[in-house]
Amino acid sequence: MSDAITLDKASLREQFVFPTNTGVGGTRAVNGDGPCTYLCGNSLGLLSKTAESRVQREFHAWGAQAVMGHFSHVEGTSWLNMTDDVDPILAELVGAKPSEVACMSTLTANLHLMLNSFYKPTSERFKILCEGKAFPSDQYAFASQAQSHGFNPKEAVLELFPREGEYVLREEDILEVIQKQGSTIAVVIFSGIQYYTGQWFPMKSITKAAKDQGCICGWDLAHAIGNVPMSLHDWDVDFAVWCTYKYLNSGPGGIAGLFVHEKWDDRELPKYAGWWGNDRATRFEMRPTFSPIRGAQGFQQSNPSTLCIAALYGSLQLFQQAGMMPALRKRSLALTGHLESLLLKSSFYVPPSQVASRSDKKPAFTIITPNDPEARGSQLSLKFLPDTIMVPVFDGLKSFGVIGDERNPDVIRLAPAPIYNTFEDCEVAARSLEEAFNSLS
Ligand SMILES: *Cc1c(COP(=O)(O)O)cnc(C)c1O
């Protein structure tokens, strides 16, 4: 474990605020009222000290300068230019040029905005291809977009499900559907990482297959940004959207982002215009006609929440300090691999291939996340058998101060975030899971 210890030293754990065991109901935690074992950064990342102090700075500027803060700022970047602090870092995280990203609005709103611009169905090419059991907000967005164009979502939204007895989609099955049905598909849109299973889709090959068939290819990166390295520009992705409160730790309801490939710059993409997408040089001249910023930032509509940007920037500075995705991915592979190796040793573990044929009714779990590290990020999704034990196991974990998150009916997700989790966190989680099973009556 000497390698692990070195890697643990590289973590920025002390820069983050961990809830205590008391705060989360960890009455049986071995470290008393110490920090809880937080493995839920895939859902809501932790508060960082830098985020907190950056937000405090904005409160200070607001109090000290009020409206003047838009143009000059007592301590930092004027509010007018605040996204300049974060756009280049977000661009680096997704593998894009700074002009290809905009930090704005919220995820589902951005998804609609992008679909409004890119989903242009015709009677021949009208389908939206996505994963079955996409995150519900995305499912609602796809169905309502189809509907708003006069299509029946049951026909227009094409959902792909894993094969019988399997939990994740196979690359060859996805590519085959794109190749066979491509001429009827307007938009291919998957999540970079599937929220439920933790599967990291083969983004490059899906994008290529979609582009080869003349489809638009978009990605929802809610669970991928800050978790896995990506190259949206080089992969020729058309658009992408994300939130920042998961692995990027921007705080509940934080500001979101989008990517539009620069090849679209001069095309006739409708931009659903607002004043913040107007050329900065003339924005405050309050002209009656819209003169968009070239690139993704021309999609901005409203002046953004400075408090949200400040919180995001505080966390992104820690990403820079940690060495961005090359370093974090390395640590993530080691942490997730360690957690997996501990879970596989459990006497309650059953391999996914044996779940269907199991006659035994003894409580057990399997891991539905792919075991190939290249097909997953930081998250492992545990499926419990029978499904009725999921909630008691989840409560058991919580009593030991281990915070994952439960997804009905039978899954608990555990995500060691490389920027603040440690190998010890993985060990506590694995031990607590064993105890939680042992405590089932
Ligand atoms: C977290 C998540 C959302 C949440 O959407 P908001 O608009 O931020 O509330 C949507 N889609 C996916 C895939 C997610 O993982």
Side-chain angles (χ1 to χ4, degrees):
M1 287 301 293
S2 64
D3 202 29
I5 290 161
T6 322
L7 279 165
D8 263 356
K9 278 200 182 132
S11 119
L12 295 176
R13 183 181 186 82
E14 73 287 355
Q15 294 293 328
F16 287 86
V17 181
F18 283 73
T20 62
N21 289 316
T22 309
V24 299
T27 50
R28 292 197 283 173
V30 289
N31 61 336
D33 196 26
C36 75
T37 304
Y38 194 77
L39 296 175
C40 206
N42 59 319
S43 189
L44 182 71
L46 290 178
L47 170 66
S48 61
K49 294 174 186 170
T50 44
E52 188 168 7
S53 67
R54 289 231 149 236
V55 173
Q56 284 300 338
R57 270 168 58 152
E58 295 315 318
F59 280 131
H60 178 220
W62 179 15
Q65 290 182 288
V67 73
M68 310 304 288
H70 281 300
F71 305 98
S72 68
H73 193 291
V74 272
E75 324 192 43
T77 308
S78 64
W79 295 331
L80 205 56
N81 300 318
M82 231 176 138
T83 46
D84 291 352
D85 289 338
V86 291
D87 285 341
I89 312 174
L90 294 172
E92 189 176 338
L93 288 170
V94 298
K97 299 183 177 179
S99 60
E100 290 176 315
V101 306
C103 177
M104 57 184 279
S105 190
T106 55
L107 171 54
T108 308
N110 286 344
L111 180 57
H112 276 293
L113 187 64
M114 289 291 96
L115 288 171
N116 282 339
S117 296
F118 283 96
Y119 178 53
K120 297 288 161 209
T122 63
S123 51
E124 296 84 46
R125 193 190 273 278
F126 60 94
K127 290 181 189 162
I128 298 173
L129 176 68
C130 59
E131 77 254 28
K133 295 207 194 146
F135 194 94
S137 199
D138 300 47
Q139 287 182 305
Y140 308 155
F142 302 152
S144 62
Q145 284 284 335
Q147 221 155 13
S148 74
H149 287 280
F151 292 93
N152 179 350
K154 289 201 172 70
E155 286 151 25
V157 181
L158 184 56
E159 297 183 326
L160 291 188
F161 289 91
R163 293 185 189 187
E164 184 72 33
E166 297 184 9
Y167 299 110
V168 296
L169 284 160
R170 293 196 194 189
E171 178 172 3
E172 70 248 40
D173 291 352
I174 301 171
L175 299 185
E176 191 184 300
V177 171
I178 295 174
Q179 272 141 21
K180 288 208 173 131
Q181 303 198 43
S183 64
T184 65
I185 298 170
V187 174
V188 172
I189 179 157
F190 284 73
S191 51
I193 290 193
Q194 223 284 340
Y195 82 101
Y196 194 83
T197 64
Q199 177 180 20
W200 183 12
F201 288 109
M203 296 178 67
K204 185 179 175 182
S205 66
I206 292 177
T207 303
K208 178 164 191 317
K211 298 315 298 171
D212 287 348
Q213 294 296 319
C215 315
I216 291 288
C217 187
W219 290 94
D220 184 329
L221 306 178
H223 286 266
I225 191 166
N227 182 9
V228 289
M230 292 173 284
S231 304
L232 300 188
H233 176 90
D234 290 346
W235 294 341
D236 199 25
V237 167
D238 292 300
F239 73 87
V241 291
W242 57 83
C243 53
T244 63
Y245 48 79
K246 293 173 181 170
Y247 290 95
L248 294 186
N249 317 312
S250 73
I255 194 161
L258 58 78
F259 162 90
V260 179
H261 199 287
E262 70 175 358
K263 71 189 170 182
W264 289 103
D265 224 16
D266 297 308
R267 314 261 182 104
E268 294 281 298
L269 269 187
K271 286 187 168 172
Y272 291 84
W275 74 317
W276 225 254
N278 196 91
D279 196 351
R280 284 192 215 190
T282 58
R283 188 187 284 152
F284 282 83
E285 290 174 13
M286 306 304 208
R287 295 178 181 179
T289 51
F290 180 56
S291 167
I293 300 172
R294 293 193 56 183
Q297 285 143 38
F299 284 90
Q300 294 173 108
Q301 294 171 324
S302 299
N303 79 101
S305 160
T306 57
L307 299 178
C308 289
I309 298 170
L312 172 62
Y313 188 36
S315 169
L316 291 180
Q317 288 185 305
L318 296 177
F319 272 72
Q320 290 183 310
Q321 205 176 313
M324 297 292 280
M325 289 323 293
L328 287 166
R329 172 65 174 164
K330 191 168 166 219
R331 198 175 145 74
S332 164
L333 285 166
L335 279 170
T336 309
H338 187 55
L339 178 61
E340 181 186 43
S341 71
L342 296 169
L343 295 175
L344 296 184
K345 283 186 212 142
S346 165
S347 57
F348 300 100
Y349 173 77
V350 180
S353 58
Q354 291 173 21
V355 169
S357 58
R358 214 170 75 102
S359 51
D360 197 347
K361 290 278 174 284
K362 182 173 141 288
F365 73 99
T366 191
I367 300 177
I368 63 173
T369 306
N371 60 358
D372 173 7
E374 289 307 311
R376 69 186 187 202
S378 297
Q379 167 190 340
L380 295 178
S381 297
L382 281 51
K383 177 186 167 72
F384 291 85
L385 316 158
D387 59 13
T388 47
I389 67 166
M390 187 276 279
V391 170
V393 170
F394 184 74
D395 290 341
L397 284 173
K398 215 162 55 172
S399 74
F400 293 108
V402 176
I403 303 303
D405 73 351
E406 92 269 51
R407 281 290 171 263
N408 282 321
D410 56 3
V411 163
I412 294 176
R413 305 179 296 174
L414 300 176
I419 202 160
Y420 51 71
N421 284 123
T422 60
F423 293 84
E424 195 185 336
D425 288 335
C426 298
E427 282 152 24
V428 172
R431 267 201 312 272
S432 303
L433 183 71
E434 211 66 11
E435 294 278 331
F437 265 104
N438 287 329
S439 310
L440 291 172
S441 48

